[in-house]
Amino acid sequence: MNARDQKATEQELKQDILDVLAALRARQECYPFSMVRNQLKAAKMPTSNGWPPLIEKFVEMVASRERLLECREELRRIYLQSLVVGTRAISIFEVDKREANVAAANIDALLDVTSDFAQAFPLPVSDEKLRKAGFNGVFCAIRKYEDGAVRLIACCRRAFRTREAIDVAGLDGDAKNALEGFDEVIGVKNGWVQAFDSIVVRPVEGTIEIQIDIPCRLTREDFGKARNFYTDRLNGLFGERFRNEKWLMLPRNLYPLISKLYARNDGYVNSLGHATTTKSIKEERMRGRQSDLRKETFHEEGMAAINGATDEYSIRKGWDTADGQRTPTVLISGHFGAAGGANPQVGYAFIDGCADEDDFAMVMSKLVL
């Protein structure tokens, strides 16, 4: 227990808890409430069916300082995991292992410890500061692992736009009159959310991972811009040292994995996009993470009818965690126009449904050609 905790009042500890809950809630688009609730339940902490009642439980909670500290530390653990897993787009770059060792030892040169993001980390910055922040990542924290891997965390502002139906009957005065006669009125809301991207250097594997956090809906163009920004920063830092200004150029091509993931008997194939030799395009999906398309009657009989002659161009597949509590998934999404092509390319995969780094590592272990 640090000096601050020793002197902290119960009210201060409770405020710590509420601050972490607010930060976790802000990540609900990429780290869902159910993930938080299940971990709290396993730790015998207060739970509920949604964010407002959960926060209210902690506001009204009467507990000893020791119990408040336990709750705060468990919530912090969950929150810190949410910053490095959740829903993410992953690109993997293969490099010389010696270069990866050099990069791991020197990548902290990119850190900006004076930034607002670094000063607030691991909590998010205030709404006012986020509104003024840029869309390019600011490197604000570093983590080192026992196997020599290093994670550099970068924060930035990401924009989102939502559309919601407006209940005209609930309006009053001139607004209601102005919209009279419309069957449906849609309101568009713009906003921002803080993202926590990662650069992970793995000397043992000889790889650099660029992990783009997805706390709100992003387009392919958004992914491309974010990844290019990080490769430019890394090339700028290490290009001259390695005598290669384009040190990180092309990520590992994950397209060949699509057919291999389908063929491997493990896990659950939740969805498959494929172009058959009979010139049809199929987009097949199952309901539920533990549903396997390969065992579905319609799919089985269709594949048998064409003797399995099809070109897969996208797949979503999941695997149960060791404790059987979750089924994280990976999505590799190509375009049907690439099916059967000479050298189709997909440079990133989407991983979601992970509660912690062990879940994430399990999914990453499946992405082996």
Side-chain angles (χ1 to χ4, degrees):
M1 184 183 299
N2 60 35
R4 189 266 184 187
D5 286 349
Q6 289 178 344
K7 297 179 180 180
T9 65
E10 292 180 3
Q11 188 59 41
E12 288 173 330
L13 292 175
K14 186 174 286 190
Q15 187 58 53
D16 289 347
I17 289 173
L18 297 178
D19 289 344
V20 178
L21 284 170
L24 259 174
R25 187 179 188 181
R27 294 192 55 72
Q28 62 185 318
E29 290 299 318
C30 60
Y31 199 83
F33 176 78
S34 60
M35 197 82 72
V36 177
R37 179 190 60 209
N38 292 341
Q39 292 178 81
L40 289 176
K41 183 178 180 180
K44 295 181 170 52
M45 302 287 178
T47 62
S48 71
N49 292 323
W51 279 111
L54 179 65
I55 292 171
E56 188 62 28
K57 277 190 176 182
F58 278 102
V59 168
E60 297 178 351
M61 184 179 183
V62 178
S64 65
R65 293 183 76 262
E66 290 72 19
R67 179 58 171 167
L68 290 172
L69 282 167
E70 287 178 3
C71 291
R72 186 195 67 180
E73 292 310 299
E74 177 60 15
L75 284 165
R76 279 183 175 176
R77 183 196 67 78
I78 296 171
Y79 173 66
L80 290 174
Q81 288 294 320
S82 82
L83 302 185
V84 296
V85 293
T87 304
R88 305 176 84 76
I90 313 298
S91 291
I92 305 168
F93 295 81
E94 297 172 350
V95 300
D96 184 278
K97 290 184 179 181
R98 291 169 296 182
E99 294 176 346
N101 270 298
V102 172
N106 294 278
I107 198 169
D108 59 354
L110 292 171
L111 283 171
D112 181 0
V113 297
T114 65
S115 69
D116 289 336
F117 289 123
Q119 295 297 311
F121 190 87
L123 294 176
V125 298
S126 66
D127 290 342
E128 181 181 356
K129 289 182 178 179
L130 183 61
R131 193 177 300 113
K132 297 176 181 178
F135 292 106
N136 289 327
V138 177
F139 295 102
C140 59
I142 190 167
R143 289 187 183 180
K144 297 183 179 181
Y145 299 87
E146 292 183 359
D147 65 353
V150 175
R151 178 188 298 273
L152 203 60
I153 297 175
C155 292
C156 65
R157 175 173 59 135
R158 294 240 154 89
F160 67 86
R161 173 175 291 187
T162 60
R163 297 174 180 271
E164 299 177 4
I166 296 175
D167 181 10
V168 177
L171 300 177
D172 54 18
D174 294 339
K176 184 175 182 179
N177 294 332
L179 296 172
E180 186 177 358
F182 286 91
D183 295 322
E184 186 177 17
V185 177
I186 303 296
V188 178
K189 181 180 180 181
N190 295 317
W192 296 275
V193 65
Q194 183 169 331
F196 294 80
D197 300 331
S198 285
I199 307 297
V200 184
V201 184
R202 301 191 188 276
V204 173
E205 289 86 355
T207 60
I208 311 290
E209 296 169 14
I210 296 180
Q211 303 183 2
I212 306 300
D213 188 27
I214 310 178
C216 59
R217 182 172 295 183
L218 299 179
T219 66
R220 290 176 184 266
E221 183 180 4
D222 294 330
F223 296 130
K225 286 181 178 179
R227 187 179 70 187
N228 290 343
F229 169 76
Y230 292 123
T231 56
D232 286 347
R233 291 297 307 274
L234 290 168
N235 286 338
L237 180 61
F238 296 113
E240 184 175 352
R241 183 190 295 256
F242 299 144
R243 298 180 181 179
N244 183 359
E245 294 182 357
K246 295 182 179 180
W247 179 53
L248 298 186
M249 183 65 177
L250 294 176
R252 179 186 295 170
N253 182 18
L254 299 178
Y255 192 95
L257 262 176
I258 297 172
S259 60
K260 293 180 180 181
L261 288 174
Y262 178 81
R264 294 171 189 166
N265 291 326
D266 62 343
Y268 311 92
V269 173
N270 301 151
S271 70
L272 185 74
H274 57 113
T276 72
T277 54
T278 55
K279 299 183 180 181
S280 66
I281 304 297
K282 305 294 185 185
E283 295 278 356
E284 300 181 82
R285 295 180 177 84
M286 298 294 288
R287 294 179 180 176
R289 289 175 179 261
Q290 294 181 323
S291 299
D292 195 337
L293 179 67
R294 295 169 298 185
K295 298 177 182 179
E296 192 264 336
T297 302
F298 187 88
H299 177 78
E300 279 189 306
E301 294 189 0
M303 292 294 280
I306 59 173
N307 296 317
T310 193
D311 289 313
E312 301 93 344
Y313 59 84
S314 70
I315 191 170
R316 180 186 178 99
K317 188 173 182 179
W319 299 266
D320 292 332
T321 54
D323 60 9
Q325 297 299 306
R326 298 167 300 283
T327 308
T329 67
V330 63
L331 169 65
I332 303 176
S333 181
H335 189 269
F336 67 82
N343 186 29
Q345 301 280 323
V346 174
Y348 52 83
F350 300 94
I351 295 178
D352 77 344
C354 299
D356 53 35
E357 289 188 86
D358 287 340
D359 290 357
F360 198 87
M362 182 270 290
V363 177
M364 288 293 291
S365 73
K366 305 294 184 179
L367 304 185
V368 178
L369 293 171

